[in-house]
Amino acid sequence: MRLQRLRLVNFRQHRDTDLEFGPGITGIIGPNGAGKSTLLEAIAWAIYGMEAARGSRDSIRWRRARPRSEVKVELEFGLGAHEYRVVRTLFNAELYLDGAPQPIVTSLSEVSARLARVLGMTHDEFRNTYFTGQRDLAVMAELTPADRRRFLNRLLGYEKLLLAQKLVRERRNEMNGELTGLQQGAPDPAALAAERARRAAQAEEVARQLAAAEEAQAQARAASDQHLPVFRELKEFRERHLALTADRRVTEEQLRQAVELVRRLEGEHAAAAAAQGELERLAPQLVAYAREKTALAELELLARDADTRARLEAKLDELGRRQEELRSRLEAARGAAAAAQAIAEGLEAMRRAWESADLACREQDAAWVREKADADATRRSLLEQYHDLETQKERITAAGPEGACPTCGRRLGDEYHAVLELLRTQLEEVKQNGRYYRSRLDQLQVPPAELAELDLRRHHLAAAVETGAQELAVAKRSADEAIALDEQRRQLEGRRAELLAEAAALRTGYDRERHEAVRRAVAELEPAALRAQRLAADAERAPRLAAELRAAEERRAALVEILARLQRELDALQFNEEAFLLAEREMERLERAWQDAEREVAVARAELGAAQGQLREAERREQEAAARAARVAELKGLVRLHNELDRALGDLSTDLNNEIGPEIAALASEFLAVLTDGQYDELILDDEFNATVLEDGEPQPVISGGEEDLRDLVLRLAVSQMIADRAGQPLSLLVLDEIFGSLDEAHRAHVVSLLRGLEARFPQVLLITHVEGVRESLDRVLRVRYEEGTGAATVTEERGPPLVPGGADADVAA
């Protein structure tokens, strides 16, 4: 895997960070909390999503970003012959292959799954392969033998066998519980067979009773069917008698109503004839009423036009007053709007002056902040250098002239005093530099006078811009008001033209006195007109009433004939009610006998159904007992199978654990030979995973601190190589996160030199550290700083040696 480019947008401390990676050893250096390890988290998050993140989605977003701002990480890397680019946000992800413009996979889960398949690693395997933290180098040496075995099983994925064995045992226990329950509740097969036979005999007896009840039901049904024709004939004879009697009563009622209708129609027809005569006498008054009514309608229209003309003239007077008022307001608004252009030009000039002052102020402030930060970083590095030199001096003083050098292990001898004098000289130089930078920091606590003057001028210009903007807004409002007033003036002129046209269309010649005279004449003639309307309605009914009267008389005669016919049919029928009642009682007795027999059949059928259900239940229990016995036999076989599987998984786990040590030792020996140029070519692990270095086949139980670092490093690399081999990936990338925290300067330099010896194996190495002392031995340095003013981390590329030799990132105490 080859890292090429990483971009972070609103990801934890990084607002917008874009950096490229290259071959060799790259150091990512900065103080704790600046955002160095966040770069590693972003790499894993881009590949595996939230599984690789610390906390929730909300905690990932840069704390000063706006709510719902986009969080994005873009990672470009090479793997084998292909180039990949993954773009991940909180709610989406895209994966591109070999520079194609369209993604090959989208969505969060699909991108994570595809990259896991491409790498051949889960997130945990990816972290344990490519990333090594401060505690990981010596972790096996610090653990107990049992913990070492569990640690390696977890890294290499062997804990899955233990999980499978646990599941096998849980399933076996479940089956044993089920087997015990089945065996304890098993019924007696002989008792079940006897119960089934008894239920079968009971069902046969109930079936015989049902047959007898059905025979009795058939006999009762036959007797009922024999009497039924006689009863039906009498019933039909009675129904005919009742129908004729009912028809006679209905015909009598209809005849009575027809007689009353003839009397009423005769009276109404006489009234209609009288109305016709009176209407002829009122004809002259009706002609005069129609003439006066027409004249009144014409006068009403002329009166309405006269009223409308008066209202229009009042509206025209009001429009004249409003037009005069608009002319005066329009002249004032146009005068105020004329000054808008001059105000706008002055405002633009003041804005340019303010932007120039603001830019100068921000540049001056940034220079002041950078100078403070550089002075503070230099002072901290001097403090660490001072502590390193003081530690070396104390160790050499404690060892004395006859002691061994803490760095190289050789006897000091005659060089003892020279070395001490060199250390004292270096300490004094560091003290002097520290005092200078402490004084410089005190001076930089107060902003420069030039910065204060620029800030004051910026505020004055900002106030002037605000005042000009307000004046321009007032002038623009006046211009807008002039446009609106002019539009209102045009609308009023159009409205005046419409009113004049409407007044010209109205008729003239209205005579109020004639209007009143006609209205009185109409009022005098109106009672006669209303009387004529009522008489006309009555007179119009005369022909219809004559026809209805003739029809009513014809219906009366027809009903008299129908009533006589019905009476003749009743007299000829000679119906006997007593004979019908005797036949009805006999039919009811036969029906009751048949219904009683039917109920007995239903009871017998229900008893038979219950007996058959009990028989089926007995048969079901017998079958269930047989199925339970078969399940018991099946469970016994499955329990034996799971016992064998438990033993097989245990044996496999033991064999794999026995192979871990030799395989790790073989890989570690290859790394050891490369790093030591063949001085040490073998490393062995005992049963408790304690490591021993061999020289010419002889164990070396006592080794120096640098050789211990070498041993721990090759062991950790061997474990990572095993995981990568199982994933089918070459281990070309190595990321070391804060591994120098517990090492002195000599051991730090030794570890870096070891990594130099592994360039053929690991062409790309990333060192995450806050220690400045390793800076000069790296191929490339990326500086990570956290700026309190912006609340964001920045990454800049630095090359070359540090400003102070051996510098550290702490203060120097005077």
Side-chain angles (χ1 to χ4, degrees):
M1 182 176 184
R2 306 176 303 277
L3 297 179
Q4 296 170 351
R5 179 175 174 266
L6 177 67
R7 186 189 178 197
L8 292 76
V9 177
N10 292 331
F11 189 87
R12 297 205 185 279
Q13 302 101 311
H14 294 266
R15 178 177 58 187
D16 191 356
T17 297
D18 193 348
L19 47 107
E20 296 182 357
F21 300 98
I25 302 177
T26 298
I28 301 177
I29 301 177
N32 293 332
K36 304 186 303 299
S37 298
T38 299
L39 301 176
L40 305 185
E41 181 185 5
I43 293 173
W45 186 73
I47 298 174
Y48 293 99
M50 289 304 300
E51 179 185 5
R54 305 187 305 266
S56 63
R57 284 186 171 91
D58 292 335
S59 64
I60 289 179
R61 182 181 283 109
W62 179 48
R63 63 185 180 88
R64 294 196 184 182
R66 294 181 178 178
R68 297 184 296 277
S69 296
E70 182 183 52
V71 177
K72 183 173 70 173
V73 172
E74 183 175 352
L75 175 66
E76 297 178 10
F77 65 92
L79 189 66
H82 295 289
E83 303 293 331
Y84 295 89
R85 181 168 69 92
V86 56
V87 180
R88 184 180 294 272
T89 65
L90 291 178
F91 303 103
N92 191 28
E94 296 176 343
L95 179 61
Y96 298 83
L97 178 65
D98 295 332
Q102 299 297 327
I104 60 173
V105 180
T106 59
S107 88
L108 298 174
S109 58
E110 292 181 3
V111 169
S112 299
R114 174 65 68 88
L115 288 176
R117 289 195 300 271
V118 168
L119 293 171
M121 298 180 183
T122 65
H123 170 247
D124 290 339
E125 292 171 341
F126 179 80
R127 292 283 305 183
N128 293 327
T129 302
Y130 290 106
F131 296 92
T132 298
Q134 182 175 356
R135 296 184 63 256
D136 291 339
L137 288 180
V139 65
M140 291 179 57
E142 298 173 358
L143 298 176
T144 63
D147 291 337
R148 291 192 198 109
R149 189 175 299 277
R150 282 192 293 271
F151 172 75
L152 291 173
N153 281 334
R154 177 178 60 80
L155 289 184
L156 298 175
Y158 293 166
E159 78 279 5
K160 298 176 182 177
L161 292 175
L162 300 178
L163 177 60
Q165 190 174 26
K166 178 182 177 182
L167 295 175
V168 167
R169 292 175 178 175
E170 290 176 353
R171 180 58 183 150
R172 181 183 62 191
N173 293 337
E174 292 175 359
M175 290 188 293
N176 278 327
E178 183 182 356
L179 182 60
T180 302
L182 290 174
Q183 290 174 337
Q184 289 177 350
D188 183 10
L192 291 175
E195 175 67 14
R196 177 177 53 78
R198 184 174 68 82
R199 295 297 183 185
Q202 182 180 3
E204 291 177 0
E205 176 62 24
V206 174
R208 285 192 295 271
Q209 294 175 2
L210 175 60
E214 288 176 343
E215 184 178 357
Q217 180 192 21
Q219 293 174 357
R221 184 66 179 177
S224 175
D225 291 344
Q226 185 178 2
H227 182 68
L228 184 60
V230 178
F231 174 72
R232 282 179 176 173
E233 185 178 357
L234 290 173
K235 188 176 181 181
E236 291 175 358
F237 194 61
R238 182 174 183 267
E239 290 175 352
R240 175 61 180 164
H241 180 268
L242 294 175
L244 289 173
T245 303
D247 289 345
R248 185 183 63 182
R249 287 196 296 268
V250 171
T251 303
E252 290 173 346
E253 177 62 25
Q254 290 177 346
L255 180 58
R256 184 188 63 78
Q257 293 176 357
V259 171
E260 292 179 355
L261 179 61
V262 169
R263 292 195 190 102
R264 181 176 61 81
L265 290 174
E266 288 175 347
E268 292 180 356
H269 184 264
Q276 282 181 331
E278 187 178 357
L279 188 60
E280 291 174 357
R281 292 191 296 273
L282 291 174
Q285 296 181 26
L286 295 177
V287 172
Y289 178 78
R291 184 180 61 254
E292 296 298 329
K293 190 73 173 176
T294 301
L296 180 62
E298 180 66 21
L299 288 169
E300 291 287 348
L301 292 175
L302 291 174
R304 188 164 56 249
D305 286 352
D307 292 340
T308 302
R309 180 178 291 103
R311 289 195 301 271
L312 292 176
E313 290 174 353
K315 289 182 179 180
L316 287 170
D317 291 342
E318 177 63 24
L319 284 176
R321 289 191 298 272
R322 291 179 59 189
Q323 284 179 315
E324 185 62 28
E325 180 183 350
L326 279 176
R327 276 193 294 273
S328 61
R329 290 177 58 193
L330 182 59
E331 291 175 0
R334 285 173 175 172
Q341 181 64 30
I343 295 175
E345 293 174 357
L347 178 60
E348 181 63 24
M350 285 188 289
R351 280 179 176 165
R352 288 195 298 269
W354 175 83
E355 290 173 355
S356 175
D358 181 67
L359 178 61
C361 186
R362 286 190 283 107
E363 291 177 351
Q364 186 72 20
D365 184 70
W368 174 51
V369 172
R370 284 196 302 271
E371 188 173 2
K372 284 200 303 181
D374 292 342
D376 185 66
T378 303
R379 187 164 174 253
R380 291 177 181 274
S381 65
L382 288 171
L383 179 59
E384 183 170 336
Q385 181 182 5
Y386 179 85
H387 289 325
D388 290 343
L389 292 172
E390 187 66 28
T391 301
Q392 293 182 30
K393 175 185 174 184
E394 291 175 356
R395 293 174 64 182
I396 291 175
T397 303
E402 301 302 323
C405 177
T407 302
C408 62
R410 295 178 298 177
R411 178 177 174 275
L412 292 171
D414 296 338
E415 297 180 0
Y416 171 75
H417 294 290
V419 170
L420 282 181
E421 184 60 28
L422 177 61
L423 289 175
R424 291 191 190 98
T425 302
Q426 292 177 346
L427 284 170
E428 185 61 29
E429 182 180 355
V430 169
K431 283 182 180 180
Q432 292 177 0
N433 291 335
R435 293 189 188 98
Y436 167 75
Y437 280 104
R438 185 178 62 183
S439 174
R440 182 59 180 158
L441 280 173
D442 292 340
Q443 295 173 0
L444 292 172
Q445 294 306 311
V446 179
E450 182 181 356
L451 176 60
E453 292 176 359
L454 286 173
D455 186 60
L456 181 61
R457 183 170 181 271
R458 178 180 60 177
H459 281 85
H460 286 164
L461 288 172
V465 168
E466 179 66 22
T467 301
Q470 293 175 358
E471 293 176 352
L472 180 60
V474 171
K476 286 183 177 180
R477 283 197 298 270
S478 298
D480 294 339
E481 184 180 6
I483 294 173
L485 291 173
D486 190 51
E487 178 63 24
Q488 292 180 24
R489 180 184 59 78
R490 287 194 295 271
Q491 291 177 357
L492 289 178
E493 290 176 352
R495 179 59 177 160
R496 181 178 181 82
E498 292 175 358
L499 293 176
L500 290 172
E502 187 178 351
L506 296 175
R507 292 176 296 179
T508 60
Y510 172 66
D511 187 349
R512 185 177 299 277
E513 293 180 358
R514 185 171 180 275
H515 189 188
E516 292 297 330
V518 172
R519 185 180 289 126
R520 287 193 298 271
V522 169
E524 292 173 355
L525 293 171
E526 193 164 16
L530 294 176
R531 175 64 178 165
Q533 289 178 358
R534 290 192 293 271
L535 292 173
D538 291 339
E540 288 175 359
R541 295 175 60 202
R544 179 173 58 81
L545 288 173
E548 290 179 359
L549 179 58
R550 289 191 297 272
E553 290 174 343
E554 292 173 358
R555 177 168 173 73
R556 179 181 60 182
L559 289 173
V560 169
E561 179 61 28
I562 291 172
L563 184 60
R565 179 180 56 80
L566 290 174
Q567 186 61 46
R568 289 193 297 271
E569 289 180 3
L570 282 172
D571 293 341
L573 193 60
Q574 296 180 354
F575 172 70
N576 189 341
E577 182 70 19
E578 185 176 356
F580 171 76
L581 293 176
L582 289 174
E584 186 179 40
R585 285 193 291 270
E586 179 63 17
M587 191 71 231
E588 289 176 352
R589 185 188 67 77
L590 292 174
E591 287 289 334
R592 285 195 300 271
W594 176 76
Q595 291 173 358
D596 292 341
E598 190 175 41
R599 281 194 296 271
E600 291 179 0
V601 168
V603 171
R605 284 176 178 169
E607 292 178 351
L608 178 61
Q612 290 175 343
Q614 293 173 349
L615 175 60
R616 288 193 297 271
E617 178 63 20
E619 292 173 346
R620 186 192 63 77
R621 288 199 296 269
E622 198 171 19
Q623 294 171 357
E624 189 178 80
R628 174 178 268 182
R631 178 59 178 168
V632 168
E634 180 187 5
L635 287 173
K636 287 181 179 179
L638 290 174
V639 168
R640 289 193 298 271
L641 176 63
H642 279 70
N643 287 333
E644 292 298 327
L645 186 57
D646 183 18
R647 284 193 294 272
L649 288 174
D651 294 342
L652 178 60
S653 178
T654 301
D655 294 342
L656 290 175
N657 282 324
N658 290 336
E659 294 176 359
I660 291 176
E663 188 172 354
I664 292 177
L667 288 172
S669 297
E670 294 180 13
F671 289 123
L672 188 64
V674 172
L675 293 177
T676 62
D677 294 331
Q679 177 182 357
Y680 300 123
D681 59 358
E682 186 174 2
L683 182 147
I684 59 175
L685 296 174
D686 60 16
D687 294 339
E688 297 182 351
F689 292 95
N690 294 314
T692 303
V693 177
L694 301 183
E695 184 178 7
D696 296 330
E698 295 296 327
Q700 300 294 319
V702 179
I703 56 179
S704 67
E707 291 168 340
E708 288 180 356
D709 297 338
L710 176 63
R711 178 196 64 193
D712 294 338
L713 180 60
V714 297
L715 281 174
R716 185 64 181 89
L717 295 177
V719 173
S720 298
Q721 184 68 58
M722 287 180 66
I723 299 174
D725 290 343
R726 282 159 173 74
Q729 300 291 347
L731 189 61
S732 60
L733 168 66
L734 185 62
V735 180
L736 303 176
D737 186 9
E738 296 289 3
I739 64 169
F740 298 136
S742 60
L743 303 178
D744 58 22
E745 184 178 0
H747 286 103
R748 295 170 192 162
H750 190 62
V751 170
V752 174
S753 65
L754 296 181
L755 295 175
R756 287 291 184 193
L758 291 174
E759 286 181 347
R761 290 262 187 169
F762 302 105
Q764 190 177 47
V765 178
L766 298 183
L767 284 177
I768 309 296
T769 182
H770 67 279
V771 177
E772 295 280 349
V774 299
R775 179 179 181 274
E776 60 183 1
S777 55
L778 305 178
D779 296 322
R780 183 184 180 203
V781 173
L782 298 178
R783 172 76 61 183
V784 181
R785 295 184 177 89
Y786 181 78
E787 298 183 357
E788 293 291 344
T790 62
T794 60
V795 181
T796 56
E797 183 173 357
E798 299 180 358
R799 295 181 180 275
L803 296 177
V804 179
D809 58 353
D811 274 343
V812 175

